[in-house]
Amino acid sequence: MAITFEVIHKDIAGRVGKLRVNDKTVRTPALLPVVNPHLPLVTPREMQEMGVEALITNAYIFRRSTEFHDRALAEGLHGVLDFDGVIMTDSGSFQLSVYGEVEVSNPDTLEFQQAIKSDIVVPLDIPTPPDAGPGRAARELAVTMERIREAQALFPDANLAAPVQGGIFTDLREKAGRAVRDLDFTFAPIGAVVPLMESYRYKELVQVVLAAKRGLSPATAVHLFGAGHPSMFALAVAMGCDLFDSAAYALFAREGRYITPHGSLKIDELAELPCACRVCRSMTADELRKSDDRERLLALHNLHVTLAEIARIRQAIQDGTLWELVDERCRSHPRLLDGYRELLAHAAELERDDPVSKRRFFYRGSETCRRTEVLRFHEVIPRIPLGERVLVSFNGQEASGFDTVLNFKPPFGPYPVELAETFPVGQSEVPEWDDDMVRSGCAGIRALMEAHPGSRFAVRCGEEWAPLVLEEVPGAEVLYEQV
């Protein structure tokens, strides 16, 4: 297969990379706008001029279209859509998820996608809904894998995608990921997650995606099917998703909804247009509301905002600030915050791929204490050589009678002065200390004590922190700071 994926920058599990499909290259993370040839609110040519490098369309719609079927076979998708970038086609699985059946077989849709010159071809996978039981999910996963193997056998030279299914069952998702890895695929969409996102079940979404990622090869480009709203892109990228397809820019426009990075607003209720795109800077909210071209203008705005969020995420990965962006975006809705906290519950899993040094570390609340950088610091701090008598000083004051004196910075904990300018201590910004961050720092003291049972520890702190230290670090002597 002529699909390759090269990772250039990493942060958490997010990757900035290059997806090469034949002779075309797509920067990732990437958005693939969904294009319906019958409803061209924004044309593919306009999308290309806006910087879109890949899009997705539905082969089933082309197959059944009296207007476009013959043209697609004669001219190919790139000619019909007037688009030079990568075109991916859905097999009809979306219709299968909505209507329960489609009038096409797996070999037929694969042959048709090849005939219309799709760059990335998708087998007819079975999208198992979240309410399905484990038995049904396992049976439908078996059918999906059978069809993926059939696709490989029938079209060995095609640029095939291998959808990862399994419902909400993490064991099945991981099993599917391993099966796709064993078949040597480099492009894997995670399917049947739209119902989770539509019902704001982001905690389960995180569980499903991370399970699939555990099975997949790290070299596989991961596409999250149907992830339409930019408010959740940062969370999905932090999980390790590299590509998204979205029809939200058009669907929301038809409903009069104005997309922002934090959510969507009703255009009928807006007094201002809080965006710098060319649509919003060329008219007032009232003019947009009353425009005869309102739906198209809203679609253009929505697409601009969505593409800008993808660019913002790519920059955050390169800057090493993806955690801060995830934290910011996930506070826009309580259920997104559930997803964020579930992601943090897997910090030990994510830490293995997270870079050891970054530009900065901003403390943004109690969730920050569970980030990968804090976890790694607590893992490496026990390597520090210590003497028999050890002092951990909250304010940096030294004292006689100690063999080792360590400073203290929450949420990390104790550190030797030699590490004061290194990441993460030297590049961290924290507000006035709170209980959560100090408790996290005390966990670092406990890790150090457990690694050095022959040393005796004392903690010098102010009176306000003494009760917390006594609770969190039993066995350590507490000394009060000198005023």
Side-chain angles (χ1 to χ4, degrees):
M1 295 184 290
I3 300 179
T4 62
F5 182 52
E6 176 188 2
V7 176
I8 300 172
H9 301 283
K10 297 169 64 177
D11 194 13
I12 318 177
R15 290 96 65 94
V16 168
K18 292 182 179 180
L19 180 73
R20 294 185 176 88
V21 184
N22 298 328
D23 59 346
K24 302 168 186 174
T25 300
V26 179
R27 294 171 300 161
T28 66
L31 174 77
L32 281 65
V34 176
V35 171
N36 184 334
H38 297 288
L39 302 168
L41 273 180
V42 182
T43 69
R45 175 55 57 180
E46 288 176 305
M47 293 177 181
Q48 186 166 320
E49 291 169 355
M50 293 167 68
V52 172
E53 296 174 330
L55 56 80
I56 186 169
T57 191
N58 196 302
Y60 190 72
I61 290 176
F62 275 91
R63 182 182 179 87
R64 296 182 58 80
S65 172
T66 56
E67 181 180 356
F68 291 104
H69 176 276
D70 292 343
R71 279 191 61 195
L73 288 172
E75 303 174 32
L77 287 177
H78 296 84
V80 173
L81 297 178
D82 188 25
F83 184 77
D84 300 329
V86 171
I87 298 179
M88 179 178 176
T89 44
D90 186 20
S91 58
S93 291
F94 174 76
Q95 282 74 15
L96 186 61
S97 67
V98 174
Y99 304 113
E101 60 180 1
V102 288
E103 298 174 1
V104 66
S105 68
N106 187 47
D108 287 343
T109 187
L110 291 166
E111 183 177 6
F112 183 72
Q113 289 177 74
Q114 284 283 89
I116 60 178
K117 298 180 174 59
S118 170
D119 291 308
I120 301 178
V121 175
V122 182
L124 187 64
D125 55 311
I126 308 296
T128 303
D131 60 353
R136 175 183 171 185
R139 290 191 299 273
E140 292 182 348
L141 173 58
V143 174
T144 291
M145 293 310 305
E146 184 178 308
R147 291 178 178 180
I148 291 172
R149 294 185 183 94
E150 180 181 46
Q152 273 193 318
L154 291 175
F155 300 96
D157 298 324
N159 294 328
L160 291 169
V164 177
Q165 296 289 353
I168 62 171
F169 303 100
T170 55
D171 57 335
L172 293 179
R173 290 285 185 169
E174 184 172 351
K175 176 183 177 182
R178 287 198 304 271
V180 167
R181 178 194 61 198
D182 293 342
L183 292 172
D184 201 26
F185 278 87
T186 55
F187 191 93
I190 298 177
V193 292
V194 171
L196 294 177
M197 291 181 281
E198 288 180 338
S199 54
Y200 295 88
R201 294 162 65 178
Y202 291 108
K203 180 177 180 179
E204 289 169 281
L205 177 69
V206 171
Q207 294 167 349
V208 161
V209 171
L210 291 183
K213 287 282 296 184
R214 281 193 291 273
L216 290 167
S217 165
T220 300
V222 177
H223 179 126
L224 191 63
F225 262 143
H229 200 286
S231 63
M232 59 80 59
F233 285 170
L235 176 65
V237 169
M239 292 187 268
C241 297
D242 305 293
L243 302 102
F244 311 92
D245 65 275
S246 174
Y249 73 96
L251 296 175
F252 282 32
R254 293 187 190 110
E255 298 169 359
R257 294 162 70 189
Y258 178 97
I259 289 178
T260 78
H262 308 280
S264 59
L265 307 169
K266 293 180 179 179
I267 187 62
D268 290 338
E269 298 177 356
L270 285 181
E272 299 286 344
L273 300 178
C275 172
C277 78
R278 58 185 176 89
V279 172
C280 297
R281 298 280 60 83
S282 64
M283 59 178 57
T284 66
D286 193 51
E287 288 170 341
L288 177 55
R289 256 191 307 276
K290 296 177 180 177
S291 172
D292 294 336
D293 211 16
R294 184 177 90 159
E295 188 175 322
R296 170 176 155 75
L297 291 171
L298 269 176
L300 282 167
H301 157 80
N302 290 343
L303 189 53
H304 271 293
V305 170
T306 308
L307 292 171
E309 182 67 5
I310 292 291
R312 189 176 292 111
I313 291 169
R314 286 198 296 258
Q315 187 62 47
I317 293 172
Q318 293 179 73
D319 289 343
T321 59
L322 184 56
W323 272 125
E324 280 90 351
L325 185 59
V326 172
D327 187 284
E328 180 179 341
R329 292 295 183 257
C330 287
R331 295 188 188 279
S332 64
H333 194 283
R335 299 286 79 79
L336 272 172
L337 188 56
D338 284 341
Y340 176 31
R341 289 171 174 169
E342 180 64 24
L343 183 68
L344 289 166
H346 297 268
E349 186 177 342
L350 298 169
E351 187 269 331
R352 293 192 292 268
D353 294 320
D354 199 37
V356 297
S357 183
K358 303 183 184 183
R359 175 173 293 186
R360 70 174 191 227
F361 178 99
F362 280 3
Y363 183 85
R364 300 176 61 93
S366 60
E367 286 81 12
T368 306
C369 300
R370 301 167 59 195
R371 281 172 42 170
T372 48
E373 300 96 331
V374 177
L375 177 65
R376 178 181 290 122
F377 189 87
H378 289 172
E379 289 176 344
V380 302
I381 195 70
R383 301 177 191 171
I384 296 174
L386 301 178
E388 182 180 346
R389 288 278 289 152
V390 179
L391 174 67
V392 178
S393 177
F394 274 34
N395 67 356
Q397 290 181 353
E398 295 192 18
S400 60
F402 292 93
D403 303 302
T404 306
V405 177
L406 303 173
N407 290 341
F408 181 87
K409 186 169 188 179
F412 305 105
Y415 67 93
V417 67
E418 292 83 0
L419 297 183
E421 301 299 323
T422 64
F423 185 85
V425 173
Q427 287 72 42
S428 61
E429 294 288 343
V430 301
E432 186 174 339
W433 294 6
D434 60 39
D435 283 8
D436 288 329
M437 72 165 77
V438 174
R439 288 184 189 278
S440 176
C442 287
I445 299 177
R446 291 198 306 272
L448 201 57
M449 293 174 67
E450 292 168 4
H452 298 274
S455 298
R456 289 179 294 157
F457 284 77
V459 178
R460 181 186 294 280
C461 62
E463 290 186 14
E464 72 273 25
W465 296 119
L468 188 150
V469 172
L470 287 168
E471 177 187 347
E472 293 291 326
V473 194
E477 179 184 3
V478 175
L479 307 176
Y480 292 107
E481 293 174 352
Q482 298 174 359
V483 180

PDB file of all heavy atoms in Angstrom, residues 21 23-25 44-45 48-49 52-55 77-79 81-87 119:
ATOM      1  N   VAL A  21       0.051   9.813   0.861  1.00  0.00           N
ATOM      2  CA  VAL A  21      -0.859   8.941   0.112  1.00  0.00           C
ATOM      3  C   VAL A  21      -0.487   9.061  -1.360  1.00  0.00           C
ATOM      4  O   VAL A  21      -0.725  10.099  -1.982  1.00  0.00           O
ATOM      5  CB  VAL A  21      -2.328   9.340   0.331  1.00  0.00           C
ATOM      6  CG1 VAL A  21      -3.250   8.354  -0.376  1.00  0.00           C
ATOM      7  CG2 VAL A  21      -2.652   9.409   1.816  1.00  0.00           C
ATOM      8  N   ASP A  23       1.429  10.223  -4.127  1.00  0.00           N
ATOM      9  CA  ASP A  23       2.361  11.344  -4.252  1.00  0.00           C
ATOM     10  C   ASP A  23       1.866  12.599  -3.541  1.00  0.00           C
ATOM     11  O   ASP A  23       2.377  13.697  -3.771  1.00  0.00           O
ATOM     12  CB  ASP A  23       2.605  11.659  -5.733  1.00  0.00           C
ATOM     13  CG  ASP A  23       1.319  12.004  -6.473  1.00  0.00           C
ATOM     14  OD1 ASP A  23       0.225  11.752  -5.931  1.00  0.00           O
ATOM     15  OD2 ASP A  23       1.402  12.537  -7.599  1.00  0.00           O
ATOM     16  N   LYS A  24       0.873  12.452  -2.674  1.00  0.00           N
ATOM     17  CA  LYS A  24       0.305  13.600  -1.971  1.00  0.00           C
ATOM     18  C   LYS A  24       0.630  13.518  -0.483  1.00  0.00           C
ATOM     19  O   LYS A  24       0.709  12.424   0.083  1.00  0.00           O
ATOM     20  CB  LYS A  24      -1.212  13.651  -2.170  1.00  0.00           C
ATOM     21  CG  LYS A  24      -1.621  13.718  -3.644  1.00  0.00           C
ATOM     22  CD  LYS A  24      -3.111  13.467  -3.816  1.00  0.00           C
ATOM     23  CE  LYS A  24      -3.476  13.393  -5.288  1.00  0.00           C
ATOM     24  NZ  LYS A  24      -4.884  13.016  -5.500  1.00  0.00           N
ATOM     25  N   THR A  25       0.774  14.681   0.143  1.00  0.00           N
ATOM     26  CA  THR A  25       1.132  14.741   1.554  1.00  0.00           C
ATOM     27  C   THR A  25       0.103  15.569   2.318  1.00  0.00           C
ATOM     28  O   THR A  25      -0.313  16.635   1.863  1.00  0.00           O
ATOM     29  CB  THR A  25       2.524  15.368   1.744  1.00  0.00           C
ATOM     30  OG1 THR A  25       3.492  14.567   1.051  1.00  0.00           O
ATOM     31  CG2 THR A  25       2.897  15.438   3.220  1.00  0.00           C
ATOM     32  N   PRO A  44     -15.276  22.086  -2.861  1.00  0.00           N
ATOM     33  CA  PRO A  44     -13.944  21.545  -2.578  1.00  0.00           C
ATOM     34  C   PRO A  44     -12.816  22.456  -3.055  1.00  0.00           C
ATOM     35  O   PRO A  44     -11.766  22.523  -2.408  1.00  0.00           O
ATOM     36  CB  PRO A  44     -13.955  20.211  -3.327  1.00  0.00           C
ATOM     37  CG  PRO A  44     -15.393  19.806  -3.331  1.00  0.00           C
ATOM     38  CD  PRO A  44     -16.146  21.084  -3.507  1.00  0.00           C
ATOM     39  N   ARG A  45     -13.031  23.157  -4.144  1.00  0.00           N
ATOM     40  CA  ARG A  45     -11.999  24.093  -4.604  1.00  0.00           C
ATOM     41  C   ARG A  45     -11.801  25.215  -3.592  1.00  0.00           C
ATOM     42  O   ARG A  45     -10.665  25.600  -3.292  1.00  0.00           O
ATOM     43  CB  ARG A  45     -12.389  24.663  -5.965  1.00  0.00           C
ATOM     44  CG  ARG A  45     -11.453  25.740  -6.517  1.00  0.00           C
ATOM     45  CD  ARG A  45     -10.011  25.305  -6.594  1.00  0.00           C
ATOM     46  NE  ARG A  45      -9.820  24.106  -7.390  1.00  0.00           N
ATOM     47  CZ  ARG A  45      -8.637  23.537  -7.606  1.00  0.00           C
ATOM     48  NH1 ARG A  45      -7.540  24.054  -7.058  1.00  0.00           N
ATOM     49  NH2 ARG A  45      -8.538  22.444  -8.338  1.00  0.00           N
ATOM     50  N   GLN A  48      -9.833  23.856  -0.729  1.00  0.00           N
ATOM     51  CA  GLN A  48      -8.411  23.753  -1.045  1.00  0.00           C
ATOM     52  C   GLN A  48      -7.740  25.111  -0.903  1.00  0.00           C
ATOM     53  O   GLN A  48      -6.613  25.213  -0.388  1.00  0.00           O
ATOM     54  CB  GLN A  48      -8.241  23.212  -2.463  1.00  0.00           C
ATOM     55  CG  GLN A  48      -6.795  22.924  -2.839  1.00  0.00           C
ATOM     56  CD  GLN A  48      -6.696  22.087  -4.106  1.00  0.00           C
ATOM     57  OE1 GLN A  48      -7.461  21.162  -4.314  1.00  0.00           O
ATOM     58  NE2 GLN A  48      -5.749  22.431  -4.950  1.00  0.00           N
ATOM     59  N   GLU A  49      -8.416  26.162  -1.328  1.00  0.00           N
ATOM     60  CA  GLU A  49      -7.860  27.510  -1.204  1.00  0.00           C
ATOM     61  C   GLU A  49      -7.768  27.948   0.255  1.00  0.00           C
ATOM     62  O   GLU A  49      -6.961  28.822   0.601  1.00  0.00           O
ATOM     63  CB  GLU A  49      -8.717  28.486  -2.000  1.00  0.00           C
ATOM     64  CG  GLU A  49      -8.616  28.270  -3.515  1.00  0.00           C
ATOM     65  CD  GLU A  49      -9.666  29.047  -4.289  1.00  0.00           C
ATOM     66  OE1 GLU A  49     -10.546  29.685  -3.651  1.00  0.00           O
ATOM     67  OE2 GLU A  49      -9.616  29.017  -5.536  1.00  0.00           O
ATOM     68  N   VAL A  52      -7.226  23.239   2.991  1.00  0.00           N
ATOM     69  CA  VAL A  52      -7.612  21.834   3.180  1.00  0.00           C
ATOM     70  C   VAL A  52      -6.781  20.954   2.254  1.00  0.00           C
ATOM     71  O   VAL A  52      -6.733  21.185   1.042  1.00  0.00           O
ATOM     72  CB  VAL A  52      -9.121  21.647   2.916  1.00  0.00           C
ATOM     73  CG1 VAL A  52      -9.479  20.165   2.908  1.00  0.00           C
ATOM     74  CG2 VAL A  52      -9.939  22.387   3.963  1.00  0.00           C
ATOM     75  N   GLU A  53      -6.139  19.937   2.824  1.00  0.00           N
ATOM     76  CA  GLU A  53      -5.280  19.048   2.043  1.00  0.00           C
ATOM     77  C   GLU A  53      -5.919  17.696   1.775  1.00  0.00           C
ATOM     78  O   GLU A  53      -5.412  16.918   0.970  1.00  0.00           O
ATOM     79  CB  GLU A  53      -3.948  18.848   2.778  1.00  0.00           C
ATOM     80  CG  GLU A  53      -3.157  20.146   2.902  1.00  0.00           C
ATOM     81  CD  GLU A  53      -1.902  19.991   3.746  1.00  0.00           C
ATOM     82  OE1 GLU A  53      -1.900  19.134   4.662  1.00  0.00           O
ATOM     83  OE2 GLU A  53      -0.932  20.728   3.510  1.00  0.00           O
ATOM     84  N   ALA A  54      -7.023  17.398   2.452  1.00  0.00           N
ATOM     85  CA  ALA A  54      -7.719  16.128   2.255  1.00  0.00           C
ATOM     86  C   ALA A  54      -9.185  16.325   2.610  1.00  0.00           C
ATOM     87  O   ALA A  54      -9.531  17.142   3.473  1.00  0.00           O
ATOM     88  CB  ALA A  54      -7.106  15.032   3.127  1.00  0.00           C
ATOM     89  N   LEU A  55     -10.047  15.580   1.957  1.00  0.00           N
ATOM     90  CA  LEU A  55     -11.470  15.610   2.284  1.00  0.00           C
ATOM     91  C   LEU A  55     -12.018  14.195   2.178  1.00  0.00           C
ATOM     92  O   LEU A  55     -11.352  13.272   1.700  1.00  0.00           O
ATOM     93  CB  LEU A  55     -12.233  16.593   1.394  1.00  0.00           C
ATOM     94  CG  LEU A  55     -12.161  16.429  -0.131  1.00  0.00           C
ATOM     95  CD1 LEU A  55     -13.101  15.345  -0.627  1.00  0.00           C
ATOM     96  CD2 LEU A  55     -12.519  17.746  -0.810  1.00  0.00           C
ATOM     97  N   LEU A  77     -13.103  11.079  -8.991  1.00  0.00           N
ATOM     98  CA  LEU A  77     -13.575  12.014  -7.969  1.00  0.00           C
ATOM     99  C   LEU A  77     -12.876  13.361  -8.034  1.00  0.00           C
ATOM    100  O   LEU A  77     -13.497  14.402  -7.829  1.00  0.00           O
ATOM    101  CB  LEU A  77     -13.357  11.408  -6.575  1.00  0.00           C
ATOM    102  CG  LEU A  77     -14.285  10.278  -6.159  1.00  0.00           C
ATOM    103  CD1 LEU A  77     -13.873   9.755  -4.779  1.00  0.00           C
ATOM    104  CD2 LEU A  77     -15.729  10.757  -6.114  1.00  0.00           C
ATOM    105  N   HIS A  78     -11.595  13.364  -8.324  1.00  0.00           N
ATOM    106  CA  HIS A  78     -10.865  14.623  -8.338  1.00  0.00           C
ATOM    107  C   HIS A  78     -11.370  15.546  -9.432  1.00  0.00           C
ATOM    108  O   HIS A  78     -11.455  16.770  -9.237  1.00  0.00           O
ATOM    109  CB  HIS A  78      -9.362  14.366  -8.499  1.00  0.00           C
ATOM    110  CG  HIS A  78      -8.766  13.611  -7.356  1.00  0.00           C
ATOM    111  ND1 HIS A  78      -8.818  12.237  -7.274  1.00  0.00           N
ATOM    112  CD2 HIS A  78      -8.121  14.043  -6.239  1.00  0.00           C
ATOM    113  CE1 HIS A  78      -8.213  11.847  -6.161  1.00  0.00           C
ATOM    114  NE2 HIS A  78      -7.790  12.914  -5.518  1.00  0.00           N
ATOM    115  N   GLY A  79     -11.754  14.966 -10.569  1.00  0.00           N
ATOM    116  CA  GLY A  79     -12.306  15.784 -11.644  1.00  0.00           C
ATOM    117  C   GLY A  79     -13.694  16.304 -11.321  1.00  0.00           C
ATOM    118  O   GLY A  79     -14.006  17.474 -11.544  1.00  0.00           O
ATOM    119  N   LEU A  81     -15.075  16.722  -8.329  1.00  0.00           N
ATOM    120  CA  LEU A  81     -15.077  17.641  -7.197  1.00  0.00           C
ATOM    121  C   LEU A  81     -14.139  18.827  -7.389  1.00  0.00           C
ATOM    122  O   LEU A  81     -14.172  19.776  -6.596  1.00  0.00           O
ATOM    123  CB  LEU A  81     -14.688  16.890  -5.918  1.00  0.00           C
ATOM    124  CG  LEU A  81     -15.644  15.779  -5.481  1.00  0.00           C
ATOM    125  CD1 LEU A  81     -15.111  15.080  -4.227  1.00  0.00           C
ATOM    126  CD2 LEU A  81     -17.039  16.331  -5.216  1.00  0.00           C
ATOM    127  N   ASP A  82     -13.300  18.785  -8.410  1.00  0.00           N
ATOM    128  CA  ASP A  82     -12.337  19.861  -8.662  1.00  0.00           C
ATOM    129  C   ASP A  82     -11.448  20.064  -7.440  1.00  0.00           C
ATOM    130  O   ASP A  82     -11.342  21.167  -6.887  1.00  0.00           O
ATOM    131  CB  ASP A  82     -13.069  21.163  -9.029  1.00  0.00           C
ATOM    132  CG  ASP A  82     -12.099  22.260  -9.488  1.00  0.00           C
ATOM    133  OD1 ASP A  82     -10.998  21.920  -9.964  1.00  0.00           O
ATOM    134  OD2 ASP A  82     -12.451  23.454  -9.342  1.00  0.00           O
ATOM    135  N   PHE A  83     -10.807  18.981  -7.016  1.00  0.00           N
ATOM    136  CA  PHE A  83      -9.965  19.001  -5.816  1.00  0.00           C
ATOM    137  C   PHE A  83      -8.706  18.206  -6.095  1.00  0.00           C
ATOM    138  O   PHE A  83      -8.773  17.065  -6.574  1.00  0.00           O
ATOM    139  CB  PHE A  83     -10.737  18.403  -4.631  1.00  0.00           C
ATOM    140  CG  PHE A  83      -9.994  18.458  -3.332  1.00  0.00           C
ATOM    141  CD1 PHE A  83      -9.900  19.656  -2.623  1.00  0.00           C
ATOM    142  CD2 PHE A  83      -9.410  17.319  -2.794  1.00  0.00           C
ATOM    143  CE1 PHE A  83      -9.229  19.706  -1.399  1.00  0.00           C
ATOM    144  CE2 PHE A  83      -8.738  17.366  -1.582  1.00  0.00           C
ATOM    145  CZ  PHE A  83      -8.647  18.563  -0.877  1.00  0.00           C
ATOM    146  N   ASP A  84      -7.547  18.798  -5.785  1.00  0.00           N
ATOM    147  CA  ASP A  84      -6.269  18.162  -6.109  1.00  0.00           C
ATOM    148  C   ASP A  84      -5.669  17.359  -4.956  1.00  0.00           C
ATOM    149  O   ASP A  84      -4.692  16.636  -5.160  1.00  0.00           O
ATOM    150  CB  ASP A  84      -5.245  19.237  -6.532  1.00  0.00           C
ATOM    151  CG  ASP A  84      -5.699  20.007  -7.753  1.00  0.00           C
ATOM    152  OD1 ASP A  84      -6.407  19.413  -8.591  1.00  0.00           O
ATOM    153  OD2 ASP A  84      -5.366  21.202  -7.869  1.00  0.00           O
ATOM    154  N   GLY A  85      -6.227  17.504  -3.752  1.00  0.00           N
ATOM    155  CA  GLY A  85      -5.645  16.835  -2.601  1.00  0.00           C
ATOM    156  C   GLY A  85      -6.102  15.397  -2.462  1.00  0.00           C
ATOM    157  O   GLY A  85      -6.609  14.777  -3.401  1.00  0.00           O
ATOM    158  N   VAL A  86      -5.922  14.863  -1.261  1.00  0.00           N
ATOM    159  CA  VAL A  86      -6.309  13.482  -0.966  1.00  0.00           C
ATOM    160  C   VAL A  86      -7.822  13.406  -0.791  1.00  0.00           C
ATOM    161  O   VAL A  86      -8.422  14.219  -0.085  1.00  0.00           O
ATOM    162  CB  VAL A  86      -5.600  12.987   0.312  1.00  0.00           C
ATOM    163  CG1 VAL A  86      -6.147  11.633   0.752  1.00  0.00           C
ATOM    164  CG2 VAL A  86      -4.097  12.902   0.074  1.00  0.00           C
ATOM    165  N   ILE A  87      -8.434  12.430  -1.432  1.00  0.00           N
ATOM    166  CA  ILE A  87      -9.866  12.180  -1.266  1.00  0.00           C
ATOM    167  C   ILE A  87     -10.052  10.781  -0.696  1.00  0.00           C
ATOM    168  O   ILE A  87      -9.619   9.786  -1.274  1.00  0.00           O
ATOM    169  CB  ILE A  87     -10.636  12.310  -2.594  1.00  0.00           C
ATOM    170  CG1 ILE A  87     -10.525  13.737  -3.141  1.00  0.00           C
ATOM    171  CG2 ILE A  87     -12.113  11.948  -2.394  1.00  0.00           C
ATOM    172  CD1 ILE A  87     -11.235  13.950  -4.462  1.00  0.00           C
ATOM    173  N   ASP A 119      -8.535   8.012  -3.216  1.00  0.00           N
ATOM    174  CA  ASP A 119      -7.163   7.870  -2.725  1.00  0.00           C
ATOM    175  C   ASP A 119      -7.080   6.924  -1.533  1.00  0.00           C
ATOM    176  O   ASP A 119      -6.077   6.223  -1.358  1.00  0.00           O
ATOM    177  CB  ASP A 119      -6.610   9.241  -2.311  1.00  0.00           C
ATOM    178  CG  ASP A 119      -6.382  10.157  -3.499  1.00  0.00           C
ATOM    179  OD1 ASP A 119      -5.711   9.735  -4.450  1.00  0.00           O
ATOM    180  OD2 ASP A 119      -6.879  11.295  -3.467  1.00  0.00           O
TER     181      ASP A 119
END
